[in-house]
Amino acid sequence: MKVNLGIRAHDVEAKNLYELAANVAQRGFSAVQLALAKSITEFSTSTGSLSPGYGHYVKSIFQQHDVRIAVLGCYINLIHPDLPERQRQLDRFKEHIRFARDFGCTIVGTETGSVIPSLGYSEDNFTEEAYIEVVKSVRELVEEAEKFGVIVGVEGGINHPIHTPKRMKRLLEDVPSPNLQVIYDPANFMSLDNVHEQHFVMDEAFQLFGGRMVIVHAKDFIVDNGEMTMVPVGTGQLDYIYLLQRLKKEKPFINILLENTRDPHLTDSIRYIQGRYEQAKRVQ
């Protein structure tokens, strides 16, 4: 079984879309997470610009290089405190939902935002009030996704309203639709408090929503001077062998997408993931 490895498209250097697809393929990646506004510069990506023709054109460029668009990234602030701005962002996400299949894609992904407009850290993100606002926004997006047979992929993280595996499970229960699934980034759930309990944190995630994982993000972390810093894959402390053991057993062929990993680290990170994947034995 070969690792199904991809990357966020905006982590690959390119002057245009053709060069981007070629560079992704040259690295040996089979898939990308494509955030239109971050990766396309030669034509408009503003709300209202998408159409079936737009999606087919972009899809065809990647298809020429045997690269699949696994996720349309549309990172919005689901709990933006300015309600008209929040609605504008939700409407943008809905447009991605409507045309996702024209890009050859069935997942549109986002994180869950912040009470701070610039998406900064705030303990107010962990309140019940913030969680309720997330539920409202996710429910609105999922209702649109159900009309078009598309998946809303939600990514949790330690500084976000969905900041623990338990809270992710609660969101899945409060928006009970198969069109809501999880983009799982194991590093996002690590903190100074649980850094020595990686296996427990991963096990909890697989137990609570393993069956709902549709994409895995891969990055790494270090703890330095009492602070946690995200680093390229293979340069940190994440136990990738344990993670990949679980994935090989429970989520075979799931797209694993490198994140926060750019040149000059890409070649080593690819080799690292491939090597750890070969080492990982099935969990009995």
Side-chain angles (χ1 to χ4, degrees):
M1 191 186 303
K2 186 178 179 182
V3 61
N4 199 3
L5 193 61
I7 191 170
R8 293 190 313 187
H10 57 277
D11 287 333
V12 177
E13 295 293 332
K15 296 176 182 177
N16 53 55
L17 200 57
Y18 282 101
E19 188 174 296
L20 174 61
N23 289 352
V24 167
Q26 188 175 27
R27 297 284 189 173
F29 293 118
S30 61
V32 292
Q33 175 166 317
L34 184 66
L36 303 181
K38 294 184 177 182
S39 298
I40 296 176
T41 58
E42 58 262 53
F43 38 84
S44 175
T45 61
S46 61
T47 304
S49 65
L50 301 189
S51 67
Y54 191 129
H56 179 74
Y57 173 78
V58 174
K59 177 182 71 172
S60 69
I61 292 174
F62 283 96
Q63 278 185 332
Q64 291 172 32
H65 299 278
D66 293 323
V67 174
R68 181 165 128 352
I69 301 172
V71 186
L72 277 184
C74 185
Y75 285 89
I76 62 174
N77 190 347
L78 293 175
I79 57 171
H80 198 292
D82 182 320
L83 294 183
E85 175 58 29
R86 183 192 302 183
Q87 191 60 54
R88 280 191 288 272
Q89 294 190 29
L90 291 173
D91 289 343
R92 176 174 176 80
F93 196 101
K94 289 179 187 178
E95 183 180 59
H96 280 61
I97 287 172
R98 289 193 291 274
F99 298 106
R101 287 186 172 275
D102 297 299
F103 288 84
C105 178
T106 57
I107 304 169
V108 185
T110 184
E111 296 173 339
T112 52
S114 172
V115 296
I116 297 175
S118 61
L119 300 174
Y121 173 84
S122 171
E123 292 190 2
D124 289 341
N125 287 333
F126 312 142
T127 64
E128 182 68 9
E129 291 76 15
Y131 172 76
I132 290 171
E133 293 303 306
V134 169
V135 172
K136 291 178 183 176
S137 290
V138 170
R139 186 173 287 134
E140 181 175 337
L141 296 179
V142 168
E143 287 175 357
E144 187 78 358
E146 288 173 339
K147 300 173 186 175
F148 292 89
V150 170
I151 289 168
V152 174
V154 172
E155 179 180 357
I158 203 70
N159 297 328
H160 307 168
I162 307 302
H163 57 280
T164 65
K166 286 186 175 68
R167 182 136 312 181
M168 179 65 81
K169 175 63 172 177
R170 183 183 172 192
L171 177 64
L172 294 172
E173 291 173 344
D174 286 342
V175 187
S177 170
N179 294 76
L180 175 61
Q181 302 287 329
V182 179
I183 296 174
Y184 176 52
D185 186 329
N188 277 5
F189 289 115
M190 301 308 304
S191 70
L192 295 176
D193 295 329
N194 64 22
V195 69
H196 299 298
E197 301 176 320
Q198 286 193 50
H199 293 184
F200 173 82
V201 177
M202 291 184 198
D203 288 346
E204 183 179 44
F206 276 90
Q207 177 186 357
L208 293 177
F209 53 81
R212 304 289 289 275
M213 294 177 189
V214 289
I215 294 289
V216 173
H217 279 175
K219 58 175 178 281
D220 219 327
F221 69 87
I222 58 172
V223 176
D224 186 28
N225 292 324
E227 292 187 0
M228 180 169 285
T229 303
M230 297 301 166
V231 296
V233 170
T235 64
Q237 300 170 226
L238 190 76
D239 189 342
Y240 267 98
I241 288 183
Y242 190 78
L243 171 66
L244 292 169
Q245 284 176 335
R246 296 297 306 254
L247 292 175
K248 288 182 80 168
K249 178 186 179 184
E250 299 171 50
K251 306 296 295 189
F253 308 108
I254 194 169
N255 285 112
I256 300 173
L257 306 179
L258 296 189
E259 180 180 286
N260 285 19
T261 303
R262 298 171 175 261
D263 280 328
H265 302 283
L266 270 178
T267 299
D268 288 341
S269 291
I270 293 168
R271 188 179 298 118
Y272 178 86
I273 284 281
Q274 291 173 337
R276 292 300 184 274
Y277 194 78
E278 292 172 2
Q279 291 176 39
K281 297 178 180 178
R282 288 179 179 269
V283 179
Q284 301 300 320

